[in-house]
Structures are given as C-alpha cells and as structure tokens.
Amino acid sequence: TQLLEQSPQFLSIQEGENLTVYCNSSSVFSSLQWYRQEPGEGPVLLVTVVTGGEVKKLKRLTFQFGDARKDSSLHITAAQPGDTGLYLCAGGVNSGYSTLTFGKGTMLLVSP
Amino acid sequence: DAGITQSPRHKVTETGTPVTLRCHQTENHRYMYWYRQDPGHGLRLIHYSYGVKDTDKGEVSDGYSVSRSKTEDFLLTLESATSSQTSVYFCAISEGGRYYGYTFGSGTRLTVV
C-alpha cells in the first residue's frame, strides 16, 4: 500500500500570508494530483503533475512535483479567505491506469 | 447540469438493514469509484468499476457490494449496515490514465443508528 503523508494537518493564517503544504511518500508515483474540498462538497481537482521536477502555476497557487516523484508541494501566495478548505494530494502508481491513493489532507483556514 | 450526481444526499438507517446508494453520471466515463471519507482516515477506496459489469475491490470493501449494469450508473450496497459504516460516501468518475483526474459527486452522508 502506497502512503501519502500530508503536512501540516491544520493551518490557520491571516489573509495575505504565504503558505506551503507538503505531500510526501516513500513510493514513486507516476502522477500526482491536488484537490480542494469545501465543507459539504466533494473534492475538486486543481492540478495534475506527471514529470519529476515539474512546476505548475494556477493563479496564486504553485505546485511542484519532486525530482524523484516521491513528494510534492503546494504554495499559496497572498492567501485569501476563499482559499479556505481541505487540500488533498493523491497519487497514481502505474504509468497507464491505476486507482488513486489519497493523503489525509491539510485543512487550511484563512481569516480576513 | 452536473456531470455526476449522488442520491440520496442524506440517509439515516438502522443497524442490520440493507442500504443502496446511487451514483449517476452523464459524462460517459469508463471508470467509476466509491470512496468513504472519515476523520483521521481520509478518503479510502471501497470499490471501483472499469466498465459495465466489471468491478474490483478497494482497500475497505468488506461489508459492501457494487453493481454496474449501465455505463451511467454505479450502485453501492451495504448488505447489513453497521455503525462503523456511518460515514460520508463519495462517488467519482474518471476517463482513466494518469493524466486524468477524478470528478467527485457531492457525497452522501449516511448515519447508521
């Protein structure tokens, strides 16, 4: 079983601050995805990264896949209250098809 | 119009009764999944389907069965509900392959009393 460890588990910050959340594993993943989940809703896909060292930007969010494809990070610049939610990373093992293994998530609270 | 819908959104049932949750998609995606989400455990895969009548077990399949008789519908049945199955259940769909993410439904909150 491939495990994805996310840290921190909970993060409470003020609007305008920067933050980074991490997703780590001892396993190599062929792809890694980040989702955001709001209360009472299902997770929503933010990004997929598949190449070691890959960096993707989505407005104020920057996603990085580690060179060895065992870890990933999500950096948010100038956080806003609308960024509040549970951030989940999920990894796929095979280059073809595989089910995703999810981390337990980082709960982010951004206060005005 | 949402591409994936779950029903019911909320359900309270008694221990020992069978319960069926429904997932319906309009995207014609090949892959469908059932996850449960619990505090401290995150999302855990129960069962998934890779085509009509083709299903396989996930990591927490005991006490659950699934059926997929049509591309658009994936049913999850709790054969005899127990309190440990109180959870939020999510259905997801995918086109498959590592470049494709999952699209999740809004979830079903199930309480077994």
Side-chain angles (χ1 to χ4, degrees):
Chain A
T1 302
Q2 297 78 30
L3 292 177
L4 284 166
E5 301 284 345
Q6 290 191 242
S7 61
Q9 292 184 4
F10 183 77
L11 191 55
S12 181
I13 62 172
Q14 295 295 120
E15 183 176 2
E17 293 184 29
N18 301 332
L19 67 115
T20 302
V21 298
Y22 300 93
C23 176
N24 295 291
S25 176
S26 58
S27 301
V28 175
F29 288 92
S30 64
S31 67
L32 199 133
Q33 299 172 358
W34 285 91
Y35 294 77
R36 179 168 66 211
Q37 184 178 17
E38 297 185 11
E41 296 297 327
V44 176
L45 178 68
L46 296 173
V47 75
T48 299
V49 286
V50 299
T51 304
E54 183 175 3
V55 177
K56 281 192 173 180
K57 293 189 176 182
L58 182 66
K59 296 183 180 178
R60 294 176 294 100
L61 279 60
T62 301
F63 304 87
Q64 185 164 7
F65 201 13
D67 291 342
R69 291 184 288 128
K70 292 183 178 182
D71 57 272
S72 181
S73 64
L74 159 60
H75 181 79
I76 301 178
T77 303
Q80 299 177 359
D83 296 326
T84 292
L86 179 67
Y87 288 81
L88 298 162
C89 66
V93 176
N94 297 321
S95 58
Y97 172 76
S98 67
T99 59
L100 291 178
T101 298
F102 283 82
K104 295 180 181 179
T106 292
M107 183 64 216
L108 172 65
L109 175 62
V110 183
S111 302
Chain B
D1 187 28
I4 176 171
T5 55
Q6 293 184 233
S7 59
R9 288 297 311 273
H10 302 273
K11 186 171 183 65
V12 179
T13 192
E14 293 186 351
T15 298
T17 60
V19 177
T20 295
L21 308 182
R22 180 177 183 245
C23 179
H24 178 78
Q25 63 150 326
T26 58
E27 304 296 324
N28 201 36
H29 286 343
R30 177 182 175 187
Y31 297 91
M32 299 185 75
Y33 314 84
W34 278 107
Y35 282 85
R36 59 178 291 174
Q37 188 173 38
D38 304 287
H41 292 278
L43 281 163
R44 292 180 291 173
L45 182 64
I46 305 171
H47 282 279
Y48 68 99
S49 169
Y50 47 95
V52 173
K53 297 186 180 179
D54 291 323
T55 64
D56 205 348
K57 297 179 180 180
E59 63 176 301
V60 290
S61 60
D62 287 348
Y64 302 93
S65 62
V66 290
S67 66
R68 192 172 178 197
S69 59
K70 299 185 291 185
T71 298
E72 58 266 35
D73 290 324
F74 192 32
L75 304 180
L76 175 70
T77 298
L78 287 65
E79 294 144 8
S80 177
T82 68
S83 59
S84 65
Q85 293 176 312
T86 291
S87 186
V88 180
Y89 291 86
F90 287 99
C91 177
I93 59 176
S94 171
E95 295 182 73
R98 63 177 179 150
Y99 297 103
Y100 297 100
Y102 289 5
T103 300
F104 283 84
S106 297
T108 294
R109 182 172 294 277
L110 177 68
T111 302
V112 183
V113 298

